[in-house]
């Protein structure tokens, strides 16, 4: 339904940034050490762009002084706005909350740890002026990540692109610029399980890669552990592919055919040579194997059922406790 108007040549579309507004969306979870640095860098970079802007910070239930730092900066500059969530909802959801609140003609989600270099936003805006609806950052070198993280990330992209019909660009994160039209489509998507990278790719439109080297975290520490990343990967794959649940009918079929062939060979052998001592080990292997396969199959059913349950409950995605800077009198800063 919402496919891109692909035949339009990008060269035919040119836009101007004059009079346009840029929204930066920054999810923050326990980021007190890095926030001041982040705002200082953003202010210098955004001043160069010649655009009206707002920075929508989503405090995702931080347990440190993140909110206090945000409020101090908001007092100093009303263009810094705050959505204070009622608890930690996770980065994907915090990002959704920010996208819902952002009012700009262009929207840029960004990590506050300065791993997404703010200098790139200028290039994004240029790509947008040349007609791109989405300009997304692509990491050309992941040397800041550990070997294991790079390896697992690569495995994930490969599996995802094999299994699902949308292609995730390798090494692209959430850091990107999106035109208002794209943001509106993403906001309309009803699912609660928001694997943002997948949704960003799913919408289509004219998407333009912008390469960059990803630096290390400026301060503080990453809150992603391998278990969390594994669950994140599962969310991504199950919400964009039915393959893990469908594959079981084929595995079952193959196992069934093997069983029939095995039975036939037993009958033939018994008729030709009579009965010999029944093979206890081979029986055990067959039983354990089929038990394992059944458990896996049921487990993969469970993964989907759990997610269906989550969608069906229809709870709101997130709960906002306070908002600062959105409807202040004369607040159009
Ligand atoms: N973040 C969040 N909620 C969470 C975890 C992270 O809003 O539950 C934010 C965090 O403050 C940062 C961004 O998401 O702005 C990326 O987090 P992090 O740097 O920990 O992830 P990594 O760069 O290691 O993928
Ligand atoms: Mg980071």
């Amino acid at each position: 339904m919402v496919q891109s108007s692909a035949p339009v040549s990008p060269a035919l579309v040119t836009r101007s940034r004059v009079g346009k507004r840029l929204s930066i969306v920054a999810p923050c979870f326990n980021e007190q050490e890095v926030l001041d640095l982040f705002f200082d860098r953003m202010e210098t970079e955004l001043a160069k762009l010649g655009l009206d802007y707002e920075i929508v910070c989503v405090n995702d239930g931080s347990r440190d002084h993140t909110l206090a730092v945000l409020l101090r900066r908001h007092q100093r500059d009303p263009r810094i706005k705050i959505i204070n969530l009622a608890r930690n909802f996770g980065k994907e959801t915090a990002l959704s909350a920010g996208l819902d609140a952002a009012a700009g003609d262009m929207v840029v989600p960004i990590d506050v740890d300065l791993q997404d270099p703010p200098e790139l936003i200028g290039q994004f805006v240029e790509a947008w002026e040349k007609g791109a609806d989405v300009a997304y950052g692509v990491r050309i070198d992941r040397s800041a990540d550990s070997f294991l993280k790079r390896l697992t990330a690569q495995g994930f992209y490969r599996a995802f692109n094999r299994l699902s019909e949308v292609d995730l660009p390798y090494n692209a994160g959430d850091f990107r610029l999106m035109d208002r039209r794209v943001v509106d489509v993403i906001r309309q998507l009803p699912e609660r399980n928001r694997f943002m990278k997948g949704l960003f790719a799913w919408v289509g439109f004219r998407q333009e890669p912008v390469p960059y080297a990803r630096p290390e975290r400026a301060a503080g520490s990453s809150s992603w552990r391998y278990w969390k990343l594994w669950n994140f990967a599962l969310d991504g794959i199950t919400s964009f592919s039915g393959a893990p649940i469908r594959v079981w009918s084929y595995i079952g079929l193959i196992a069934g055919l093997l069983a029939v062939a095995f039975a036939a060979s037993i009958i033939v052998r018994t008729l030709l040579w009579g009965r010999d001592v029944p093979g206890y080990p081979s029986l055990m292997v067959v039983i354990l194997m089929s038990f394992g396969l059944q458990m896996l199959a049921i487990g993969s059913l469970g993964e989907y059922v759990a997610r269906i349950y989550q969608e069906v409950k229809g709870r709101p995605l997130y709960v906002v406790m306070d908002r600062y800077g959105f409807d202040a009198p004369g607040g159009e800063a």
Side-chain angles (χ1 to χ4, degrees):
M1 46 167 207
V2 269
Q3 288 306 312
S4 66
S5 43
V8 181
S9 151
L12 294 177
V13 188
T14 49
R15 306 184 178 108
S16 164
R17 69 179 77 183
V18 178
K20 292 288 194 281
R21 176 135 61 133
L22 174 69
S23 295
I24 305 290
V25 173
C28 316
F29 176 59
N30 296 345
E31 300 284 9
Q32 59 180 11
E33 284 102 1
V34 80
L35 270 176
D36 276 313
L37 214 67
F38 168 75
F39 287 124
D40 293 344
R41 277 276 290 285
M42 283 309 271
E43 269 160 18
T44 6
E45 289 306 321
L46 291 174
K48 294 181 197 161
L49 294 181
L51 275 165
D52 186 15
Y53 70 85
E54 61 173 1
I55 305 180
V56 178
C57 302
V58 183
N59 179 34
D60 186 17
S62 300
R63 289 180 263 278
D64 63 357
H65 299 295
T66 297
L67 184 63
V69 180
L70 289 175
L71 282 170
R72 172 163 51 75
R73 299 299 295 225
H74 163 67
Q75 240 118 56
R76 229 197 293 166
D77 182 352
R79 286 176 297 188
I80 297 175
K81 303 173 181 180
I82 310 167
I83 305 269
N84 191 28
L85 296 184
R87 63 169 170 85
N88 178 253
F89 282 88
K91 184 190 170 185
E92 306 296 293
T93 307
L95 198 56
S96 296
L99 291 184
D100 287 344
D105 305 290
M106 297 162 244
V107 180
V108 174
I110 193 169
D111 288 359
V112 297
D113 58 8
L114 294 170
Q115 283 194 292
D116 299 336
E119 306 82 65
L120 221 64
I121 298 171
Q123 290 182 49
F124 288 168
V125 175
E126 277 162 28
W128 177 85
E129 284 185 312
K130 289 190 193 126
D133 297 305
V134 177
Y136 60 95
V138 175
R139 299 168 215 175
I140 44 173
D141 112 82
R142 294 188 65 137
S143 54
D145 287 337
S146 73
F147 174 72
L148 189 60
K149 187 153 178 184
R150 267 178 294 170
L151 198 78
T152 47
Q154 214 193 10
F156 169 73
Y157 282 110
R158 202 166 283 159
F160 188 97
N161 290 343
R162 262 277 171 83
L163 295 176
S164 85
E165 69 228 55
V166 293
D167 269 353
L168 278 191
Y170 275 75
N171 295 330
D174 297 331
F175 186 37
R176 58 189 57 228
L177 179 144
M178 290 176 283
D179 185 73
R180 168 59 26 197
R181 296 190 292 161
V182 179
V183 176
D184 285 342
V185 173
I186 287 172
R187 288 185 52 208
Q188 278 169 25
L189 301 179
E191 56 248 78
R192 256 125 265 284
N193 194 336
R194 298 186 85 77
F195 181 66
M196 290 312 249
K197 272 193 244 199
L199 299 181
F200 288 154
W202 180 86
V203 293
F205 287 93
R206 282 178 295 258
Q207 306 218 3
E208 194 69 33
V210 177
Y212 74 103
R214 189 165 170 88
E216 274 183 63
R217 217 175 209 286
S221 62
S222 170
S223 54
W224 294 88
R225 301 278 171 268
Y226 283 103
W227 181 242
K228 214 169 141 192
L229 279 173
W230 164 251
N231 282 319
F232 184 56
L234 268 190
D235 274 344
I237 288 176
T238 49
S239 48
F240 280 88
S241 163
I245 204 171
R246 271 184 284 144
V247 74
W248 292 101
S249 21
Y250 297 102
I251 293 179
L253 190 71
I254 291 167
L257 289 176
L258 284 177
V260 169
F262 189 48
S265 87
I266 288 174
I267 291 170
V268 170
R269 266 193 312 186
T270 315
L271 288 178
L272 289 181
W273 296 294
R275 225 174 257 235
D276 55 15
V277 184
Y280 172 77
S282 62
L283 252 181
M284 219 39 210
V285 166
V286 170
I287 289 172
L288 284 178
M289 269 270 280
S290 61
F291 177 74
L293 284 180
Q294 283 177 46
M295 280 299 147
L296 254 176
I298 293 171
S300 98
L301 266 173
E303 293 287 339
Y304 283 89
V305 172
R307 281 165 179 82
I308 293 169
Y309 181 51
Q310 205 189 1
E311 300 290 336
V312 156
K313 275 187 291 190
R315 282 190 192 140
L317 253 183
Y318 52 84
V319 181
V320 175
M321 200 151 58
D322 320 282
R323 302 164 130 252
Y324 302 91
F326 286 94
D327 29 36
E332 286 301 277

